[in-house]
Amino acid sequence: MAQLQSTILIFASIFVISSSNFIQPPHPFDPLTETELKLIRNVINKTYPVGPKHKFTFQYVGLNEPDKSLVLLWHSSPHHNVKPPPRQAFIIAREKGRTREIVVDFSSRSIVSDKIHLGNGNPMLTNDEQEAATALVRRFKPFRESIKKRGLKLSEVVVTSSTMGWFGETKTDRLIKTIPFYLNGSVNPYLRPIEGMTIIVSLEKKKVTEFKDRFMAPLPKANGTEYRISKLKPPFGPVLRNAVVLQPHGPGFKIDGHIVRWANWEFHMSFDVRAGLIISLASIFDMDMKKYRQVLYKGHLSEMFVPYMDPSADWYFITYLNCGEFGCGQSAVSLEPYTDCPAGAVFMDGIFAGQNGTPTKISNVMCIFEKFAGDIMWRHTEAEVPGLEITEVRPDVSLVVRMVTTVGNYDYIIDYEFKPCGSIKMEVGLTGVLEVKPVEYVHTSEIKEEDIHGTIVADNTVGVNHDHFVTFRLDLDIDGTDNSFVRNELVTKRSPKSVNTPRKSYWTTKRKTARTEAEARVRLGLRAEELVVVNPNQRTRHGNDVGYRLFPGPASGPLLTQDDYPQIRGAFTNYNVWITPYNKSEVWTSGLYADRSQGDDTLAVWSQRNREIENKDIVMWYTVGFHHVPCQEDFPTMPTLSSGFELRPANFFEQNPVLKTKPFKLTTTPKCTPKTDS
Amino acid sequence: MAQLQSTILIFASIFVISSSNFIQPPHPFDPLTETELKLIRNVINKTYPVGPKHKFTFQYVGLNEPDKSLVLLWHSSPHHNVKPPPRQAFIIAREKGRTREIVVDFSSRSIVSDKIHLGNGNPMLTNDEQEAATALVRRFKPFRESIKKRGLKLSEVVVTSSTMGWFGETKTDRLIKTIPFYLNGSVNPYLRPIEGMTIIVSLEKKKVTEFKDRFMAPLPKANGTEYRISKLKPPFGPVLRNAVVLQPHGPGFKIDGHIVRWANWEFHMSFDVRAGLIISLASIFDMDMKKYRQVLYKGHLSEMFVPYMDPSADWYFITYLNCGEFGCGQSAVSLEPYTDCPAGAVFMDGIFAGQNGTPTKISNVMCIFEKFAGDIMWRHTEAEVPGLEITEVRPDVSLVVRMVTTVGNYDYIIDYEFKPCGSIKMEVGLTGVLEVKPVEYVHTSEIKEEDIHGTIVADNTVGVNHDHFVTFRLDLDIDGTDNSFVRNELVTKRSPKSVNTPRKSYWTTKRKTARTEAEARVRLGLRAEELVVVNPNQRTRHGNDVGYRLFPGPASGPLLTQDDYPQIRGAFTNYNVWITPYNKSEVWTSGLYADRSQGDDTLAVWSQRNREIENKDIVMWYTVGFHHVPCQEDFPTMPTLSSGFELRPANFFEQNPVLKTKPFKLTTTPKCTPKTDS
């Protein structure tokens, strides 16, 4: 528990509150309900008065991860007739300038743990405090004068909050930098930055603590930044034809609370203000064994590291840790039916605690839909059997669970795709609006500097080079809790003389089970190897280790120097794949406290302990990386760019698990004229 | 024209045939029609009598690539009012033991060129000669005795043809190896190999030239190899629900002959007996410029190299060059509506010349359909504009063109996916049946050898390790013919003192235009770089080079030693990406004559000339690679495993080309009950 090492236990006395009719949600992983969030506020209010007059704010409220063994005991019991694990909430709060970690127990309605965090880093920023900070700036006289000096109208100025990062400072107060943008005819503020000012606000002191107007930069035009269809002018196009997906027998999935059942899959989905969408207890039904078998105990976003590549004063600090600083759940958006998720999608809301502890809802924050992409699950045409022409084809269907988190300018589409063959695909789509820098020129021929740190994407506008590193935490439990990580290297061999054929070489597999964390750090692309998480305690009837294989996507690693501050904080990107032993406190790869963190509580530091990981409960960390050199097509909104990875059963099943799937039996196209608006 | 260097011109006199009402197909890239194939046979029959009594066989008949400048002249003329290029066919034939390259001109109905190929390598095998060869083996007495000796019934034996490869022999006659399999209760012969015999057939002499019965191996069971839904026994599952894709306003694409128009795309699709599906003249409509702009002059499969990793006598030669040896078009299969291609798909037939020159049809060999995968084309939620809540989302649709080529046991799904944003994705899906090796054991604990070269996937059955290297030839013409290949390396820089910020590093792009072929050879994964094909003669209004960027998939390179014969023949896989100057004769990366080739006519050899490629008509070669360590899930049929790559516009357009696409306006789900069978 690295992030708690420097904290001290203040008190843990129990405040018992008189019992009422509070009913625990049906599943231990269900997200905190509105009722529970209210209860948390009430419980805490007894000790720390909450409200506008008091210096107590809720920075993070989430489910306190229940003990894994108790969850599994409950989960595996027939009809869940075993007592579920105690239900508790984990709260990070600011109280009189201190950061507190509070655990509230629901059955006793009491605080069961309360600690002060004394280490580095600050908690997640709340929406409320960011709004308050930017409002402060708008009222700040020197800022108003700077706006006036530029000939701009304050009413058209939008102030947004950016984090400070950490650049070697010893004191890391809860400060943010704010960045002004200009509307005035545009609703796409991120494309009209007002550069040249340094504006630092103390979230604690609630005032502007530093203001510098360093220079005046050109302001990119409003013209060309519009993207609302209602405001764009013809010609429109390209013209796409509508489609309706009809399911004559209804959708293939069933939702029971937060449990989703579809085809051979069953999993739980939840929402957390920091991670956003969480998938847990994903298991797949094995027709041979006539039972569900575990695959993924828990999977979710752990962090998104987004460093920009301009070292100048207006840009150097833009090295976001989106989930840890802004909350990938807090920044998640309501999904629009038919466009964000196709017809037939089912939506779920997300509820989280606002800064004052009251429940806030994002409606339709997650969706579930069946994907009929026209793919082929498996097929074979056999022409060698005399008198028979065999063609057997199974069309594929998959189930997608989606969220979109919009952290300022960028919209991140996060998809978990489940396939009947046992595969789970994690996909990250990048869209939204670029972060741009004003320049005086409109054409490359005018460039005077050696480096403009990006691409001219519009008049007076440079789309600045940057990276996106999206790290998933995947607590895999392949057919049970204790697993090993196998690196199956493909090694070239010279043919032995004994085979007596003219063939000179071949490759074979050199299997190596990673014993410790160091042996499981992987930079993709360096060597040919299969990466497999196996259960060394389970074998197929042919003696193969039961496993799931990682199919990586295209590899991208970090390019910042190792001594650079953002890379010290983002050191969890130094490898594409890491394995750690399960540790309840190692959830956030950038550290529990990511804002202004100093890199002492990252996955890279935990991994240095080089713990044993063989035949243990292990966690896989995978980073999807993008190096983004912007291009004009990314302006004024960016066509989605996707990348991801896949986990596929490898000797998990005794044979093709979809061999006996019946193909769709569509024989006639429905005869009807659907009513649409267009 | 490497493959013609060693040929000599025999004669080129023109046989004029009396004119008739033959009408040329409307497009110069249209595949040879039935009428044309018959005409070719008639024309050739005048010089080389064709028929069962004569030693003349058609090994390859395809369109003789018309002169590119003439095609472009015709293509770009208003209403195509310019004379199309002369229409000709290119024929590779065997005539009295010699390989002839014949060009037939349709307007003059004559042979305009006739050469004898004297170099290495043999032409593609025809289906007819393979069938004749395997029939010979079934009648061959020693073979029948060997079958009898094994206690097997000859009536249940299937004999298939395998190529010999080349292993240093100086004489490379048209020989094949044949491999027997056993049915007897199974319709999945590839899972029941009868090992231990070496059976070589001369295609020319039409006799078994070598037969050895070396040993007797166990025979894997028939039980468990069934995959026909009609023969499998319950329980069935997982259960998937049907879906119907309804398009209230009809499909979004229009087909005019072989031209497909959809959204902003226009392209021509064709079929070739060696390549299969060919996409050409793909261009995209630019709404700003109000015109179609060229992207891909021609794109198709050039080769599939599939070496197996067992050096023993029964396996060492299995190092297929599928397209060059068996024909990826010849091996293409009829696609099944609703399963191979979803509802709404439109199908096209493929016609090719059989061994005796008569037209052979594969119905429904290609399909075109719109893919509604539930993806998001672009989106943005903007929360910073006071008083406005903006969410703009455009759902994505794409157009897929598909073929499936089943080369014996493996089914390869080849998809070209066009997106409205300008992206083209090439995807390869592997499915079908493993190539397996009988072993005496059923469990890993029984293994005695050091290496079984694969995985025990069923009783007495090892799925043998192998690779799939699928090479695409992409003659890109980005906004015109003359293009350059730019390697935009991402280079880490130390922040200069002058910026005066605590940021220590950043990355920037170091642009390098490849001047020669050597500078354009790319092994993926070794360094961070963007690979872009640009038109150096076209710039955006901001001065950026107009281009298309390659987004590679996961990288896999060859693992055989460079001196090994299969790798010499498959040397085109030594790099993932190559660029060559356009050369009409450099179409087949494994050489025009791939069967028993010696690697002297591969892309790797052409590239050694290190020609200039800057601001020239260039061709990109991309290899999608898979290392396949089989697993039990691949038995008895293999769930599709996919990989691919993408080409995306990068400063090709002045801005997001789908900014003004109208979102679907679906407001009501159609109220109707579709009639289906299930």
Side-chain angles (χ1 to χ4, degrees):
Chain A
M1 310 224 294
Q3 70 272 36
L4 292 181
Q5 276 165 1
S6 55
T7 64
I8 49 165
L9 190 70
I10 297 295
F11 76 134
S13 58
I14 293 173
F15 300 80
V16 182
I17 293 169
S18 60
S19 71
S20 79
N21 294 327
F22 168 72
I23 295 161
Q24 192 164 311
H27 196 287
F29 279 157
D30 281 352
L32 297 173
T33 63
E34 221 176 304
T35 311
E36 287 177 319
L37 290 174
K38 285 176 182 164
L39 189 61
I40 292 164
R41 194 174 188 274
N42 287 340
V43 168
I44 285 183
N45 194 41
K46 310 269 171 186
T47 310
Y48 303 108
V50 174
K53 286 179 190 159
H54 302 283
K55 279 212 158 188
F56 187 96
T57 55
F58 293 83
Q59 306 293 135
Y60 170 86
V61 179
L63 188 68
N64 195 35
E65 176 88 4
D67 191 85
K68 192 165 175 175
S69 60
L70 295 181
V71 173
L72 291 176
L73 197 67
W74 171 86
H75 185 66
S76 61
S77 62
H79 309 292
H80 302 319
N81 58 7
V82 157
K83 209 183 146 194
R87 185 148 170 106
Q88 299 183 328
F90 178 67
I91 299 109
I92 297 176
R94 289 289 290 177
E95 181 260 339
K96 294 179 182 155
R98 294 178 295 193
T99 297
R100 285 194 177 275
E101 295 171 358
I102 300 170
V103 176
V104 167
D105 182 81
F106 288 107
S107 66
S108 62
R109 285 141 194 257
S110 64
I111 292 175
V112 291
S113 168
D114 187 348
K115 299 168 187 173
I116 289 181
H117 164 67
L118 293 179
N120 292 321
N122 301 321
M124 231 176 75
L125 276 55
T126 68
N127 282 342
D128 291 347
E129 63 191 355
Q130 292 177 71
E131 278 163 29
T134 56
L136 267 176
V137 172
R138 290 177 59 89
R139 291 193 299 269
F140 186 64
K141 216 179 151 196
F143 174 73
R144 297 168 78 100
E145 279 160 10
S146 283
I147 293 298
K148 208 174 160 184
K149 194 173 80 182
R150 281 166 170 78
L152 306 176
K153 291 174 274 185
L154 190 72
S155 60
E156 296 293 327
V157 172
V158 158
V159 182
T160 69
S161 50
S162 172
T163 43
M164 297 279 289
W166 170 70
F167 291 89
E169 306 88 351
T170 44
K171 218 165 154 251
T172 50
D173 292 341
R174 295 187 67 238
L175 304 176
I176 59 168
K177 283 192 177 169
T178 66
I179 305 175
F181 295 91
Y182 205 49
L183 296 172
N184 203 37
S186 177
V187 293
N188 203 341
Y190 291 102
L191 294 182
R192 307 197 72 198
I194 306 169
E195 286 221 328
M197 287 177 260
T198 300
I199 318 160
I200 299 179
V201 179
S202 164
L203 297 173
E204 296 295 320
K205 294 178 187 154
K206 296 195 171 63
K207 66 172 192 179
V208 177
T209 54
E210 193 182 325
F211 182 85
K212 269 189 222 156
D213 190 348
R214 291 173 287 110
F215 65 91
M216 301 218 305
L219 185 70
K221 296 180 216 165
N223 196 15
T225 64
E226 184 61 77
Y227 57 97
R228 290 169 298 175
I229 196 72
S230 59
K231 304 292 176 186
L232 288 167
K233 291 192 180 63
F236 294 102
V239 177
L240 302 172
R241 287 285 173 84
N242 196 5
V244 185
V245 175
L246 255 186
Q247 292 193 267
H249 306 282
F253 58 90
K254 287 216 172 75
I255 300 180
D256 175 10
H258 286 77
I259 296 169
V260 181
R261 290 190 187 88
W262 173 81
N264 40 3
W265 281 102
E266 177 187 292
F267 58 88
H268 182 276
M269 56 189 280
S270 182
F271 180 80
D272 175 81
V273 66
R274 181 160 175 179
L277 171 59
I278 295 176
I279 302 289
S280 42
L281 290 165
S283 57
I284 187 162
F285 190 77
D286 186 319
M287 293 202 350
D288 290 329
M289 296 195 179
K290 295 187 180 58
K291 64 169 187 177
Y292 277 94
R293 296 167 67 196
Q294 284 188 68
V295 178
L296 179 67
Y297 183 74
K298 204 167 195 178
H300 56 83
L301 276 190
S302 182
E303 191 51 278
M304 291 186 190
F305 175 40
V306 190
Y308 281 73
M309 294 301 148
D310 182 342
S312 70
D314 278 288
W315 283 85
Y316 78 91
F317 56 92
I318 305 188
T319 55
Y320 300 123
L321 294 166
N322 280 338
C323 297
E325 293 173 341
F326 301 103
C328 286
Q330 184 172 248
S331 304
V333 299
S334 294
L335 298 171
E336 297 215 324
Y338 303 113
T339 52
D340 273 320
C341 310
V346 168
F347 296 83
M348 269 192 207
D349 299 337
I351 296 170
F352 66 92
Q355 180 172 292
N356 67 4
T358 54
T360 305
K361 188 169 90 174
I362 310 174
S363 55
N364 294 357
V365 78
M366 306 178 280
C367 74
I368 307 109
F369 62 89
E370 283 174 285
K371 176 171 167 177
F372 297 92
D375 292 332
I376 298 171
M377 183 189 277
W378 63 263
R379 82 175 311 289
H380 185 55
T381 295
E382 184 52 68
E384 295 291 349
V385 182
L388 264 185
E389 269 222 9
I390 302 173
T391 292
E392 286 281 323
V393 193
R394 302 293 174 274
D396 212 359
V397 193
S398 55
L399 187 76
V400 176
V401 186
R402 172 173 294 170
M403 81 153 170
V404 173
T405 181
T406 302
V407 192
N409 54 311
Y410 256 106
D411 299 57
Y412 295 89
I413 304 159
I414 309 293
D415 283 355
Y416 295 83
E417 183 176 350
F418 294 86
K419 296 189 176 196
C421 71
S423 153
I424 312 178
K425 277 176 96 164
M426 269 52 71
E427 189 150 299
V428 178
L430 307 180
T431 175
V433 178
L434 288 175
E435 206 148 328
V436 303
K437 171 180 157 140
V439 288
E440 61 191 81
Y441 24 78
V442 300
H443 195 275
T444 52
S445 60
E446 303 162 38
I447 298 173
K448 291 175 211 94
E449 301 99 303
E450 204 187 306
D451 196 344
I452 59 165
H453 305 293
T455 309
I456 303 180
V457 293
D459 287 355
N460 308 112
T461 307
V462 164
V464 175
N465 297 332
H466 58 279
D467 295 320
H468 302 267
F469 294 110
V470 182
T471 305
F472 287 82
R473 176 180 181 269
L474 300 166
D475 181 358
L476 293 166
D477 277 11
I478 303 301
D479 210 20
T481 306
D482 289 345
N483 290 174
S484 293
F485 183 63
V486 172
R487 301 178 74 157
N488 230 352
E489 197 178 352
L490 273 49
V491 188
T492 301
K493 295 263 183 188
R494 283 270 164 194
S495 302
K497 281 255 159 65
S498 58
V499 300
N500 201 22
T501 67
R503 178 78 171 261
K504 294 185 178 173
S505 68
Y506 64 97
W507 58 254
T508 190
T509 53
K510 194 174 145 194
R511 184 190 171 85
K512 198 177 163 194
T513 300
R515 285 162 307 176
T516 65
E517 290 177 278
E519 293 178 6
R521 294 178 199 136
V522 181
R523 283 206 184 95
L524 294 171
L526 296 186
R527 49 176 167 167
E529 61 181 345
E530 283 199 334
L531 304 172
V532 196
V533 174
V534 302
N535 186 326
N537 314 297
Q538 304 286 354
R539 283 168 182 264
T540 64
R541 68 168 167 253
H542 300 298
N544 297 306
D545 273 357
V546 157
Y548 253 72
R549 187 179 153 198
L550 171 67
F551 283 75
S556 292
L559 294 172
L560 294 179
T561 59
Q562 286 294 313
D563 68 341
D564 203 0
Y565 300 106
Q567 193 55 37
I568 292 168
R569 302 171 71 216
F572 53 88
T573 59
N574 287 347
Y575 293 89
N576 305 96
V577 181
W578 310 66
I579 303 285
T580 57
Y582 173 84
N583 183 329
K584 194 180 150 177
S585 73
E586 293 174 3
V587 174
W588 310 109
T589 187
S590 55
L592 184 58
Y593 298 95
D595 176 50
R596 310 209 67 192
S597 67
Q598 303 187 16
D600 50 7
D601 181 29
T602 70
L603 168 59
V605 171
W606 312 333
S607 174
Q608 274 171 21
R609 293 165 64 190
N610 202 17
R611 292 162 289 188
E612 288 185 2
I613 55 168
E614 193 175 350
N615 204 4
K616 297 234 182 291
D617 187 4
I618 56 176
V619 176
M620 175 185 282
W621 307 78
Y622 186 98
T623 297
V624 178
F626 300 84
H627 298 299
H628 191 178
V629 178
C631 59
Q632 287 184 228
E633 284 81 358
D634 298 339
F635 188 95
T637 60
M638 176 184 160
T640 306
L641 181 65
S642 294
S643 188
F645 61 104
E646 188 173 356
L647 294 162
R648 273 171 85 99
N651 303 313
F652 185 88
F653 294 104
E654 294 291 347
Q655 63 167 12
N656 178 354
V658 283
L659 177 69
K660 288 164 82 175
T661 296
K662 286 189 177 175
F664 303 153
K665 274 183 99 181
L666 182 74
T667 50
T668 50
T669 314
K671 288 208 168 39
C672 67
T673 315
K675 256 179 68 186
T676 69
D677 250 17
S678 65
Chain B
M1 312 224 295
Q3 71 271 33
L4 293 182
Q5 276 165 1
S6 56
T7 65
I8 49 163
L9 190 71
I10 296 295
F11 75 134
S13 57
I14 293 173
F15 300 82
V16 182
I17 292 169
S18 61
S19 70
S20 79
N21 293 325
F22 169 70
I23 296 162
Q24 191 163 310
H27 196 287
F29 280 158
D30 281 352
L32 297 174
T33 62
E34 221 176 304
T35 312
E36 288 176 319
L37 290 175
K38 285 177 182 163
L39 191 60
I40 292 164
R41 194 175 188 273
N42 287 342
V43 168
I44 285 183
N45 194 42
K46 310 270 172 189
T47 310
Y48 303 109
V50 174
K53 286 180 190 160
H54 303 283
K55 278 213 160 188
F56 187 95
T57 55
F58 294 83
Q59 305 293 137
Y60 170 86
V61 179
L63 188 68
N64 195 35
E65 177 88 2
D67 190 84
K68 192 166 176 175
S69 60
L70 296 181
V71 173
L72 290 176
L73 196 69
W74 171 86
H75 185 66
S76 61
S77 63
H79 309 293
H80 302 319
N81 57 8
V82 157
K83 207 182 146 196
R87 189 155 169 99
Q88 300 184 329
F90 178 67
I91 298 109
I92 297 177
R94 290 288 291 176
E95 182 259 339
K96 294 179 183 153
R98 294 178 295 193
T99 297
R100 285 195 177 274
E101 295 171 0
I102 301 171
V103 176
V104 167
D105 182 81
F106 287 107
S107 66
S108 62
R109 286 144 193 253
S110 63
I111 292 175
V112 291
S113 167
D114 187 347
K115 300 167 188 174
I116 289 180
H117 164 68
L118 294 179
N120 293 320
N122 301 323
M124 232 175 74
L125 275 56
T126 68
N127 283 341
D128 290 347
E129 65 192 354
Q130 292 176 69
E131 278 163 31
T134 56
L136 268 177
V137 172
R138 290 177 59 89
R139 290 192 300 268
F140 187 64
K141 214 178 153 201
F143 173 73
R144 297 167 78 100
E145 278 161 11
S146 284
I147 293 298
K148 207 171 160 188
K149 193 174 80 183
R150 282 166 170 77
L152 306 177
K153 292 173 272 185
L154 189 73
S155 59
E156 296 294 326
V157 172
V158 158
V159 182
T160 68
S161 50
S162 172
T163 45
M164 297 278 291
W166 170 70
F167 291 90
E169 305 88 352
T170 44
K171 215 163 154 252
T172 50
D173 292 340
R174 295 186 68 236
L175 304 176
I176 59 169
K177 285 194 174 167
T178 66
I179 306 175
F181 295 91
Y182 205 50
L183 297 171
N184 204 34
S186 177
V187 293
N188 203 341
Y190 291 102
L191 294 181
R192 307 196 73 197
I194 305 168
E195 287 221 328
M197 286 177 259
T198 300
I199 318 160
I200 298 178
V201 179
S202 164
L203 296 174
E204 298 293 321
K205 295 179 188 156
K206 295 195 172 65
K207 66 173 194 179
V208 177
T209 54
E210 193 181 326
F211 182 85
K212 270 188 220 155
D213 190 348
R214 292 173 286 110
F215 65 93
M216 300 221 303
L219 185 69
K221 295 179 214 165
N223 197 14
T225 64
E226 183 61 78
Y227 57 97
R228 290 168 299 174
I229 196 72
S230 59
K231 304 292 176 185
L232 288 167
K233 290 192 180 62
F236 294 101
V239 176
L240 301 172
R241 287 286 172 84
N242 195 6
V244 185
V245 175
L246 254 187
Q247 292 192 266
H249 306 282
F253 58 90
K254 287 214 173 76
I255 300 179
D256 175 10
H258 286 78
I259 296 170
V260 181
R261 292 188 186 89
W262 172 81
N264 40 2
W265 281 102
E266 178 188 292
F267 58 87
H268 182 275
M269 56 190 279
S270 181
F271 180 81
D272 175 82
V273 66
R274 180 160 175 181
L277 172 58
I278 295 176
I279 303 290
S280 43
L281 290 165
S283 58
I284 188 163
F285 190 78
D286 185 320
M287 294 204 346
D288 291 329
M289 296 196 180
K290 296 187 178 56
K291 65 168 188 179
Y292 278 95
R293 296 168 66 198
Q294 284 188 67
V295 178
L296 179 67
Y297 182 75
K298 203 165 194 179
H300 56 83
L301 276 189
S302 181
E303 191 51 278
M304 291 186 187
F305 175 41
V306 190
Y308 281 72
M309 294 301 148
D310 182 340
S312 71
D314 279 288
W315 284 83
Y316 78 92
F317 57 92
I318 306 188
T319 56
Y320 300 122
L321 295 166
N322 280 337
C323 298
E325 293 173 341
F326 301 103
C328 286
Q330 183 171 248
S331 304
V333 298
S334 294
L335 299 171
E336 297 217 323
Y338 303 113
T339 52
D340 272 320
C341 309
V346 168
F347 296 82
M348 270 192 208
D349 298 338
I351 295 170
F352 65 93
Q355 179 173 295
N356 66 3
T358 54
T360 306
K361 188 168 88 172
I362 310 174
S363 55
N364 294 356
V365 78
M366 306 179 278
C367 74
I368 308 110
F369 62 90
E370 282 174 287
K371 176 172 168 176
F372 297 92
D375 292 332
I376 298 172
M377 182 189 279
W378 62 263
R379 82 175 314 287
H380 185 55
T381 295
E382 184 52 68
E384 294 292 346
V385 182
L388 265 185
E389 271 221 7
I390 303 173
T391 293
E392 288 279 325
V393 192
R394 301 293 174 273
D396 212 357
V397 193
S398 55
L399 187 77
V400 176
V401 187
R402 173 173 293 169
M403 82 154 171
V404 173
T405 180
T406 301
V407 192
N409 54 311
Y410 257 106
D411 299 57
Y412 296 89
I413 304 158
I414 309 293
D415 283 355
Y416 295 82
E417 183 177 350
F418 294 86
K419 296 189 176 198
C421 72
S423 153
I424 312 178
K425 278 176 94 165
M426 268 56 67
E427 191 153 297
V428 178
L430 308 180
T431 175
V433 178
L434 289 174
E435 207 149 327
V436 303
K437 171 180 158 139
V439 289
E440 61 191 81
Y441 24 79
V442 300
H443 195 276
T444 52
S445 61
E446 303 161 39
I447 298 174
K448 292 177 210 92
E449 302 99 302
E450 204 186 307
D451 195 345
I452 59 164
H453 305 293
T455 309
I456 303 181
V457 293
D459 286 356
N460 307 112
T461 308
V462 165
V464 176
N465 297 332
H466 59 280
D467 296 319
H468 302 267
F469 295 108
V470 182
T471 304
F472 287 83
R473 175 179 182 268
L474 301 166
D475 181 358
L476 293 166
D477 277 10
I478 303 301
D479 209 20
T481 306
D482 289 346
N483 290 176
S484 293
F485 182 62
V486 172
R487 301 179 74 156
N488 231 351
E489 197 178 351
L490 274 48
V491 187
T492 300
K493 295 263 183 189
R494 282 273 164 193
S495 302
K497 280 257 157 64
S498 57
V499 300
N500 201 24
T501 66
R503 179 76 173 263
K504 293 185 179 173
S505 67
Y506 64 98
W507 58 254
T508 191
T509 52
K510 192 173 144 196
R511 185 191 169 84
K512 198 177 163 194
T513 300
R515 284 163 306 176
T516 65
E517 291 177 279
E519 293 179 5
R521 295 179 198 134
V522 181
R523 283 207 182 93
L524 294 170
L526 296 186
R527 50 175 165 165
E529 62 181 343
E530 284 197 334
L531 304 171
V532 197
V533 174
V534 302
N535 185 326
N537 315 297
Q538 303 286 354
R539 285 170 180 264
T540 65
R541 68 166 167 255
H542 300 298
N544 296 307
D545 272 357
V546 158
Y548 253 72
R549 188 178 153 199
L550 170 67
F551 283 76
S556 292
L559 294 172
L560 293 180
T561 58
Q562 286 294 314
D563 68 341
D564 203 0
Y565 301 106
Q567 193 56 36
I568 292 169
R569 302 172 71 217
F572 53 88
T573 60
N574 286 347
Y575 294 89
N576 305 97
V577 181
W578 312 66
I579 303 285
T580 56
Y582 173 84
N583 183 329
K584 195 179 149 178
S585 73
E586 293 174 3
V587 174
W588 310 109
T589 188
S590 55
L592 182 59
Y593 298 95
D595 177 51
R596 311 209 67 191
S597 67
Q598 304 186 16
D600 50 8
D601 182 29
T602 71
L603 168 58
V605 172
W606 312 333
S607 175
Q608 274 172 19
R609 294 165 62 190
N610 203 18
R611 292 161 289 185
E612 288 185 3
I613 55 168
E614 193 175 351
N615 203 6
K616 297 235 182 295
D617 186 5
I618 57 176
V619 175
M620 176 185 280
W621 307 78
Y622 185 98
T623 297
V624 178
F626 301 83
H627 298 299
H628 192 177
V629 179
C631 59
Q632 286 184 230
E633 284 81 357
D634 299 339
F635 188 93
T637 61
M638 176 184 160
T640 307
L641 180 65
S642 293
S643 188
F645 61 103
E646 188 174 356
L647 294 162
R648 273 171 84 97
N651 303 312
F652 184 88
F653 294 104
E654 294 290 348
Q655 62 166 14
N656 178 354
V658 283
L659 178 70
K660 289 163 83 175
T661 296
K662 286 189 177 175
F664 304 153
K665 274 183 98 180
L666 181 74
T667 51
T668 50
T669 314
K671 290 207 165 41
C672 65
T673 316
K675 258 178 64 187
T676 70
D677 250 18
S678 66

